[in-house]
Every structure is written in C-alpha cells, then in structure tokens.
Amino acid sequence: GDSVTQMEGPVTLSEEAFLTINCTYTATGYPSLFWYVQYPGEGLQLLLKATKADDKGSNKGFEATYRKETTSFHLEKGSVQVSDSAVYFCALRGTGANSKLTFGKGITLSVRP
Amino acid sequence: KAGVTQTPRYLIKTRGQQVTLSCSPISGHRSVSWYQQTPGQGLQFLFEYFSETQRNKGNFPGRFSGRQFSNSRSEMNVSTLELGDSALYLCASSLAAGGRTYEQYFGPGTRLTVT
C-alpha cells in the first residue's frame, strides 16, 4: 500500500536558519503530495501541495518540489522564524480507493530566538 | 467562509460507553473524511463520506461507524469504548471524493479521553 516516510525528529534550529525536512513516498500511480502543519492544540493546516511531477508548491516562504525520479517531496525554507515552531506532516493522496490521505509520522520543529 | 467545525472539542468517557462526534464541513464541500491521531500510531484514516455514502474505509473495527446527512454534515460513532480509543479525532472536508488533487481542510479536532 501507499506509505510516506519522514526524517526522524525533533529538529531544533536558531531563528533565520535554513530548514530542510525530508519526505519520501511509495505509491502506485500518480499521487498528489501535501505538507500539513499542526500548531499546539489545533488541527492540521494545509501548507502547500503539488499534483504532478516537477511541480513546486510554495506558501509562506516554504517550498517543496515533487520529484518522481527520487519519490521525494522535501520541505525547505530559507529563513525560519520562531512562529514556524510546529509539527510538520508530509502526506499523499491517490485516486479512487486510495483517495484517503496517507501521512508520515510528522516531525516537530522548534525554532529558538 | 467558515472553516470546518467539530463538536464537542473535548470529551471524557468511561470504558464501555459510546460516543458521537459531529463535523460540519466548509460550505459547498460535499466530502467528509475522519482521521484518528494518537502519539503511537500517528494519523490514521477512518472513513470518507460523499453524498451520504461511505466511499472509503480504513482498518478499524466495526465499533467505529459514521454517517453523512443530506446537508453534508457528518457524525462518527464509537461504541463500547476502550482505553485505546483515547485520541484526537479529526474531520476533514473536501469539494468531492475520489480526486487526488482535491485538498482536504481539517477541523480543530475532538479530544476524546477514555477512562
């Protein structure tokens, strides 16, 4: 079945540091790929998405490129802020019977001033 | 446009009881999905409804059930609660079901604690 693997956490960075969170996937067909963010005590917020190979999703300074050749969708941000501290989930969504969201385990990011 | 709303936000139940959680999707969205989030298992898919029909189901026991009404609002029910059912239950709405490009928007969740 479909699966998503995220790098182990947690990750602690200083403000203005460069962020990379790795995500790889296994899926049949051509899934769409998503990054969600969860702040303490809240539900998931959609951060960005990409629906086909070589698409780049971007939002709030975050970017991720759909790499079919490496089955990856790594999240990057050039300069993190304290307000970016949250849990980040990589997810994929297929079609038909596989149309549910399949999530990675999530990674906690802490940004210190 | 209002987001996905879930009620109640917090719930404490005793083993053996049953519970019903409610979800109102974003206006115009016709698909509702439910997920369970626990520290050990992460986010797991429960089921998806579209036009009052269950379209997809995850690997959960029959104690977990759901339904969708004609106004797209959805409820999920858990009967004979077990301690392991303690979790954050998240509802997500989408324009339609089955489409891989459709974004799912999540509500704040219902925190269920079983004692």
Side-chain angles (χ1 to χ4, degrees), chain A residues 94-106:
Chain A
T95 55
N98 294 322
S99 65
K100 67 180 188 298
L101 278 170
T102 299
F103 288 91
K105 290 188 179 300

Side-chain angles (χ1 to χ4, degrees), chain B residues 20-96:
Chain B
T20 299
L21 312 181
S22 181
C23 170
S24 293
I26 292 170
S27 178
H29 284 195
R30 297 174 60 197
S31 173
V32 172
S33 298
W34 289 89
Y35 296 84
Q36 181 196 64
Q37 185 178 25
T38 60
Q41 299 299 315
L43 283 151
Q44 293 186 287
F45 171 75
L46 281 156
F47 24 66
E48 180 181 30
Y49 286 87
F50 177 73
S51 292
E52 302 178 64
T53 302
Q54 187 179 89
R55 300 294 293 264
N56 207 348
K57 189 177 189 303
N59 295 324
F60 279 81
R63 300 185 296 107
F64 291 81
S65 63
R67 60 178 176 168
Q68 186 180 34
F69 302 94
S70 58
N71 61 358
S72 295
R73 191 177 69 84
S74 177
E75 290 181 347
M76 68 162 281
N77 184 275
V78 188
S79 63
T80 320
L81 284 166
E82 301 177 359
L83 293 178
D85 297 334
S86 295
L88 181 66
Y89 289 88
L90 293 163
C91 167
S93 79
S94 181
L95 276 171

Side-chain angles (χ1 to χ4, degrees), chain A residues 4-26:
Chain A
V4 175
T5 302
Q6 290 184 236
M7 60 184 279
E8 296 284 328
V11 172
T12 302
L13 296 173
S14 297
E15 202 165 26
E16 298 184 2
F18 183 84
L19 170 71
T20 298
I21 300 177
N22 289 343
C23 171
T24 57
Y25 68 90
T26 302

Side-chain angles (χ1 to χ4, degrees), chain A residues 30-32 34 36 38 41-44 46 49 51-52 89 93-101 103 105, chain B residues 9 31 35 37 40 43 45 48 56 88 90 94 96-109:
Chain A
Y30 301 92
S32 289
F34 303 85
Y36 281 87
Q38 187 174 35
E42 299 184 11
L44 276 67
L46 177 63
K49 75 170 189 179
T51 60
K52 61 183 187 297
F89 294 92
R93 188 176 192 191
T95 55
N98 294 322
S99 65
K100 67 180 188 298
L101 278 170
F103 288 91
K105 290 188 179 300
Chain B
R9 291 292 310 278
S31 173
Y35 296 84
Q37 185 178 25
L43 283 151
F45 171 75
E48 180 181 30
N56 207 348
L88 181 66
L90 293 163
S94 181
R100 65 178 184 87
T101 62
Y102 294 131
E103 299 157 358
Q104 290 194 346
Y105 295 90
F106 285 79

